[in-house]
Amino acid sequence: MNVVVGITGGIAAYKAVNVVRGLVLAGHDVHVVATDAALRFVGRPTLEAISRNPVHSELYEGVAEVRHVAIGQAAELIVVAPATANTIAKLAHGLADDLLGNTVLASSAPLVLAPAMHTEMWQNPATVANVAALRSRGVHIVGPETGQLTGTDAGPGRMAEPGEIIAEALRAVRPRDLEARRVLVTAGGTREPLDPVRFIGNRSSGKQGVAVARAAAARGADVTLIVANLDDGVMDGLGSAVKVLHVSTTRELQEATLLAAGTAELIVMAAAVADYRPETVASDKIKKETQGDTLELRLVKNPDILHELTDARHDDQVIVGFAAETEPDRDALLTLGAAKAARKGVDYLVVNRVGWTETFGSDENSVMVLDARGHIVAEADGSKASVAERILDVVR
Ligand code: C5P
């Protein structure tokens, strides 16, 4: 794919080198259009060596080949990283006083911007309005992240990491192969209260389920996402394309899921559901002074929501379960997965290994997708966003 990477004048320009590199390594033909300011931060030879193409920055060069529009016309995707407040303002107003402005104006390709600036500039009403205008025209904005900025300050404004920018950019050009398909996704982990302040829960962050919802929406699906106790920030930038419902306990998840499942064509049950809950919930905080040295909890089994979904499934409904297992041996993991796929009556089961340090809360995942008979139909390894795409490729 012909990809134009626009680089503008911010310190984060040094990180743009890795955006270029990642796109080249993924097999794309990358053309860098840098502003003059960008070339003060990162050298032309670096960008030419990494992109394997000449770097363009001058509006009045290559006039005979009408370069000011030719680059944009040929582009299948334009990524601007970093996008400074100044460039965002210019793009929002359609200005074309440099080669990058001309390139963007002359292109109908998806446009992805990775803003990078100090917090005050990002939160300035002028920038807020410019970003809103760009978004309303379908421009994809990735980041910025909150973190350490160039000076001693910290806050929102740090450019998203190159891997995230590339993933978002490739998502922007992906086919809308789930257009109007009704997709229901559950994510996070349920919590079962013991008393007003305590619960039994699990370490699911919700990242994988939210990534599935995000990917399905980007592919055109009509997505309902039911979330239970997500980690902070997991839904950042999800946008209004996804309808989000919040629950906490298994029975709340059950009620919301069964209700939403009626009209869903594809259900992805990524939530980690508590199998048991306390038989009684104390109305006041349980006190050690009244309990002594031991405290006995009696748990009762929760409903198996996935099972209820497959029991009630209607024609043309595809139901996908998840299985998180601590089993280290791949064959044993597969055997467990196959048995679970059959027991739960799912069309697909996404099997992954979890442990004290693996998967939960991580941005990476490694999964096997099994069909109803327990056969591997796909394997995926990488960011949770890329794993989500692979899952959808198979189960859609
Ligand atoms: O049996 P196990 O908990 O490993 O099954 C995992 C799959 O079943 C996940 O898709 C999870 O969302 C779902 N599940 C459920 N209700 C339960 C337990 C698990 O829907 N009570």
Side-chain angles (χ1 to χ4, degrees), residues 212-229:
V212 170
R214 204 187 288 273
R219 287 162 77 151
D222 175 359
V223 184
T224 300
L225 172 64
I226 306 179
V227 295
N229 312 301

Side-chain angles (χ1 to χ4, degrees), residues 186 250 253 269-275 302-307 309 320-325 340 343-344 349:
T186 65
T250 298
L253 180 66
M269 194 72 198
V273 184
D275 289 320
N302 265 330
D304 188 320
I305 304 167
L306 186 54
H307 217 296
L309 289 171
V320 183
F322 271 63
E325 305 288 353
K340 186 164 291 184
R343 193 167 63 243
K344 300 242 177 187
L349 189 75

Side-chain angles (χ1 to χ4, degrees), residues 1-284:
M1 177 168 52
N2 179 319
V3 183
V4 168
V5 176
I7 305 183
T8 73
I11 293 284
Y14 80 91
K15 289 206 276 181
V17 175
N18 278 337
V19 174
V20 174
R21 185 170 168 72
L23 287 164
V24 170
L25 292 178
H28 302 293
D29 183 20
V30 180
H31 300 269
V32 172
V33 175
T35 62
D36 290 338
L39 294 176
R40 291 173 175 243
F41 290 99
V42 50
R44 186 185 290 269
T46 306
L47 294 168
E48 294 198 336
I50 300 290
S51 71
R52 305 175 190 169
N53 274 316
V55 167
H56 301 296
S57 59
E58 263 295 315
L59 189 53
Y60 294 103
E61 264 175 19
V63 177
E65 64 197 61
V66 206
R67 187 179 291 161
H68 72 293
V69 290
I71 300 172
Q73 285 169 338
E76 293 167 87
L77 166 68
I78 301 181
V79 184
V80 181
T84 58
N86 180 52
T87 294
I88 287 173
K90 292 206 292 187
L91 297 180
H93 291 86
L95 297 187
D97 62 349
D98 60 9
L99 186 61
L100 182 59
N102 280 271
T103 300
V104 170
L105 268 191
S107 171
S108 53
L111 175 61
V112 179
L113 306 182
M117 63 197 74
H118 286 275
T119 304
E120 295 81 353
M121 298 170 89
W122 174 247
Q123 291 174 343
N124 187 289
T127 308
V128 171
N130 291 332
V131 169
L134 289 165
R135 275 196 217 271
S136 73
R137 286 180 220 143
V139 174
H140 303 260
I141 309 286
V142 46
E145 293 179 356
T146 298
Q148 184 69 48
L149 302 173
T150 309
T152 50
D153 48 343
R158 191 183 152 98
M159 189 173 85
E161 288 306 313
E164 178 63 24
I165 296 170
I166 293 169
E168 183 63 33
L170 296 179
R171 275 200 288 277
V173 288
R174 155 195 44 207
R176 288 178 66 87
D177 56 358
L178 294 175
E179 193 72 59
R181 205 159 146 76
R182 289 185 300 274
V183 177
L184 170 64
V185 183
T186 65
T190 59
R191 290 179 181 174
E192 303 298 346
L194 289 165
D195 68 17
V197 296
R198 303 187 181 93
F199 59 84
I200 297 176
N202 60 68
R203 290 173 42 224
S204 174
S205 63
K207 285 183 182 172
Q208 187 62 76
V210 171
V212 170
R214 204 187 288 273
R219 287 162 77 151
D222 175 359
V223 184
T224 300
L225 172 64
I226 306 179
V227 295
N229 312 301
L230 298 185
D231 279 7
D232 284 348
V234 172
M235 288 202 296
D236 283 359
L238 192 60
S240 54
V242 175
K243 179 182 171 201
V244 181
L245 304 172
H246 293 264
V247 298
S248 185
T249 66
T250 298
R251 284 186 296 176
E252 288 164 9
L253 180 66
Q254 176 195 30
E255 190 184 337
T257 304
L258 295 181
L259 198 63
T263 53
E265 295 163 288
L266 169 63
I267 302 175
V268 181
M269 194 72 198
V273 184
D275 289 320
Y276 294 89
R277 67 177 181 277
E279 188 171 38
T280 54
V281 179
S283 51
D284 294 317

